Amino acid sequence: MEKRGKMITRSRALLLIAFMATVTFAGYRLYSGLRQEKGAPPVKSSVNLLMEAMNIIKKRYVDEVDEKKLVKGAIDGMLSKLDPHSNYMPPEPYKEMKINMAGSFGGLGIEINIKDEKLTVISPIEDTPAWRAGIKPNDHIWKIDSRLTKGLTINQSVNLMRGEKGTKVTLHILREGQKSSLVFPLVRDIIKTKSMKSRTLVPGYGYIRISQFQERTGEDFANAIRNLHAENPSGLKGLVLDLRNNPGGLVDTAAQVADHFIGEGKDDGTIVTMKGRIPGARMNHYAKVGEKEPHYPIVVLINGGSASASEILAGALQDNGRAIIMGTQSYGKGSVQSVIPLRDGSGLKITTALYYTPKGRSIQARGITPDIIVGAKELARKGQGAEGEKKGDAADFREKDLINHLEGDKPGKSSVKPAKPVDVKAPAVPLPGEDTANDYQLSRALEMLKGLDVINLMAGARGGGQPAPAAAGKAAQ
């Protein structure tokens, strides 16, 4: 009897263990299922959904559908939901992009984007058919030849405007303040985007304009600096660095320009920081230790057409206290795009990181705020008064106006307090006898440099004091 009771007890224990194991396993399966439902659907499930949609379209669409066209459309759709600068590049546009990076392509010379579903000019590139014809920032291109641009992608619009040298294309443009459409018959040319122009404004004061950062920009800048020193054997008293309407380009060459002025007396000087999700997208550009340009005053001119690499350069000089930034708020493109080649010769251009200035300010959707705000005005010639301010300085829209634009870090994450901008009024008459009579911003930059030179002379006569540009730059942070 005792033996039988022990067997019953053991049997009940085994049944209880089996029951608990079954309940535990069922609970685990239920928990796992609930987690899967609450979380993101598995990749395989999403791909199956995409394939299901494609099969339905192929079977039931009113016309026969090209599968390759569907696949490319799906990729375009995916990227268009990310941000304005991520897109799919078919083989031909991808090839053209690589040519463009080298600084030569066939076309008109216009930087464009989509604003409010309209094809809009960001800025024309200097010395190109579009620039010579008078196409301006913020122009709305509503028709290319006989093709309406409404609904076209950036790539489709670019393909319509680019072509072989000597071929013709007509742009139909709507411009603010104009009652009727403007027609621009243009002839395509090889666009060798000259990235550099330099000259002496008046003895002792140099001017360098960078229109785009290309492969040779760093070398060209070094040559321009040497030429200015040769033209001014008594030494440069100041430099105007003009980045207005500069849409950007290669970050490496922008860093090479900054390297002429940043890093003196330090182990290194930070030029720009890039922060991305993957380790390969996180990096810093530092100035090289070595001989730098003399500490003469520098004024950097920017406006709403100054974007990307030009904002990086302006921000680096501003944060390092090496230059005074003058003009209007820059465009605010602070994102890094990487192009990944695909097996069919096409490419995926996707945003992989964001740019930050040396003091941790995000450029994205904010831009660079000038230390001194000076709007674009045209000064009349021959002693006449200054004309009214132009509407739409460089570009009335910026990165923050684009659909699906990425937001930068929320204000307050950086410890840097931006300068309170100084709004400068226009003088009654232009500066006489100087090559700045029809460029108000440039005339004010030159006036600023001369004033800083006087301050330096006075400080030197008193036997002390910091150079004016460094002091002004530090005060502006």
Side-chain angles (χ1 to χ4, degrees):
M1 189 75 178
E2 184 178 339
K3 185 176 182 181
R4 186 181 175 186
K6 288 182 178 178
M7 289 178 64
I8 291 172
T9 302
R10 185 180 299 173
S11 298
R12 287 178 177 174
L14 290 173
L15 286 171
L16 182 60
I17 292 171
F19 175 77
M20 291 299 295
T22 302
V23 171
T24 301
F25 179 74
Y28 173 77
R29 290 291 302 273
L30 178 62
Y31 174 72
S32 299
L34 288 173
R35 283 193 65 188
Q36 192 175 70
E37 287 177 9
K38 290 181 179 179
V43 174
K44 186 176 180 181
S45 175
S46 299
V47 172
N48 288 340
L49 180 63
L50 179 61
M51 294 300 297
E52 182 182 0
M54 286 183 60
N55 287 331
I56 292 172
I57 293 170
K58 287 168 63 179
K59 289 177 181 178
R60 301 195 179 188
Y61 188 68
V62 63
D63 293 322
E64 189 173 344
V65 178
D66 182 0
E67 186 171 312
K68 290 183 179 179
K69 185 177 180 181
L70 285 179
V71 171
K72 291 178 180 179
I75 297 172
D76 269 331
M78 283 189 288
L79 293 170
S80 68
K81 296 296 182 182
L82 300 178
D83 68 88
H85 306 291
S86 295
N87 56 62
Y88 170 71
M89 307 184 73
E92 191 59 33
Y94 180 36
K95 181 181 177 181
E96 288 187 9
M97 185 213 69
K98 291 188 286 186
I99 294 172
N100 186 22
M101 293 300 285
S104 176
F105 59 91
L108 304 176
I110 311 176
E111 294 286 335
I112 58 173
N113 217 323
I114 303 293
K115 178 195 176 185
D116 298 330
E117 299 183 357
K118 297 177 182 179
L119 186 66
T120 307
V121 176
I122 294 177
S123 63
I125 300 172
E126 284 192 20
D127 293 334
T128 63
W131 186 82
R132 290 190 290 267
I135 291 175
K136 297 182 178 181
N138 216 36
D139 280 348
H140 166 212
I141 304 173
W142 68 276
K143 189 164 69 170
I144 302 172
D145 287 332
S146 60
R147 181 79 180 270
L148 296 177
T149 61
K150 186 175 181 179
L152 295 181
T153 65
I154 293 290
N155 287 339
Q156 289 171 330
S157 303
V158 167
N159 288 339
L160 290 174
M161 288 187 282
R162 288 192 178 179
E164 294 183 5
K165 177 182 178 180
T167 57
K168 297 180 180 179
V169 62
T170 300
L171 300 186
H172 300 260
I173 283 175
L174 295 176
R175 180 177 292 167
E176 185 179 355
Q178 298 290 332
K179 294 181 179 180
S180 58
S181 174
L182 304 176
V183 180
F184 291 86
L186 303 171
V187 178
R188 296 183 180 94
D189 200 355
I190 297 298
I191 308 300
K192 294 182 179 178
T193 51
K194 299 176 182 178
S195 67
M196 193 77 55
K197 286 186 176 181
S198 65
R199 69 178 189 270
T200 295
L201 294 171
V202 293
Y205 297 92
Y207 171 84
I208 298 179
R209 164 153 179 77
I210 305 176
S211 58
Q212 192 175 25
F213 290 97
Q214 300 175 343
E215 290 180 0
R216 291 179 54 86
T217 300
E219 182 181 345
D220 291 344
F221 187 83
N223 291 334
I225 287 288
R226 279 194 291 269
N227 290 339
L228 287 175
H229 282 297
E231 293 171 7
N232 298 276
S234 299
L236 283 176
K237 299 177 182 178
L239 174 68
V240 177
L241 182 55
D242 192 349
L243 302 179
R244 291 174 295 179
N245 294 334
N246 181 327
L250 299 175
V251 177
D252 289 348
T253 56
Q256 290 171 17
V257 173
D259 193 40
H260 286 268
F261 308 103
I262 294 173
E264 57 184 357
K266 304 177 183 178
D267 293 330
D268 60 62
T270 303
I271 295 172
V272 65
T273 298
M274 290 179 275
K275 298 179 183 179
R277 186 164 59 91
I278 61 175
R282 303 168 197 158
M283 62 183 72
N284 290 350
H285 278 278
Y286 296 104
K288 298 176 182 177
V289 176
E291 185 178 354
K292 306 295 176 179
E293 278 294 294
H295 212 270
Y296 46 72
I298 301 172
V299 172
V300 178
L301 291 176
I302 62 171
N303 65 4
S306 307
S308 194
S310 59
E311 295 175 287
I312 288 171
L313 177 55
L317 294 174
Q318 187 180 48
D319 276 8
N320 281 279
R322 190 58 187 90
I324 295 172
I325 312 300
M326 180 182 287
T328 57
Q329 191 80 11
S330 65
Y331 184 76
K333 183 185 178 296
S335 59
V336 185
Q337 281 71 47
S338 301
V339 182
I340 295 92
L342 301 178
R343 65 183 68 183
D344 66 344
S346 60
L348 284 181
K349 185 172 78 168
I350 59 175
T351 299
T352 54
L354 295 178
Y355 294 124
Y356 294 83
T357 68
K359 290 189 176 180
R361 293 182 293 161
S362 173
I363 298 172
Q364 177 60 24
R366 291 192 185 89
I368 299 297
T369 300
D371 300 308
I372 301 174
I373 294 179
V374 179
K377 302 172 186 284
E378 286 188 358
L379 299 182
R381 297 178 183 275
K382 297 182 181 179
Q384 301 296 319
E387 296 180 4
E389 180 143 7
K390 294 180 182 179
K391 292 183 179 180
D393 168 47
D396 283 337
F397 78 100
R398 291 171 170 78
E399 177 82 7
K400 62 183 175 62
D401 299 314
L402 298 178
I403 297 173
N404 289 339
H405 72 269
L406 295 175
E407 296 288 351
D409 287 346
K410 292 181 181 179
K413 284 194 175 183
S414 172
S415 61
V416 181
K417 293 183 179 180
K420 184 177 181 181
V422 180
D423 195 358
V424 179
K425 303 294 183 181
V429 293
L431 301 177
E434 297 178 346
D435 191 17
T436 57
N438 62 345
D439 188 336
Y440 175 59
Q441 291 171 321
L442 179 57
S443 71
R444 292 314 306 255
L446 180 58
E447 184 179 290
M448 171 68 71
L449 290 175
K450 289 180 176 180
L452 292 172
D453 183 46
V454 171
I455 293 173
N456 282 338
L457 288 173
M458 292 174 65
R462 291 170 183 168
Q466 293 291 325
K474 288 175 182 176
Q477 301 313 313

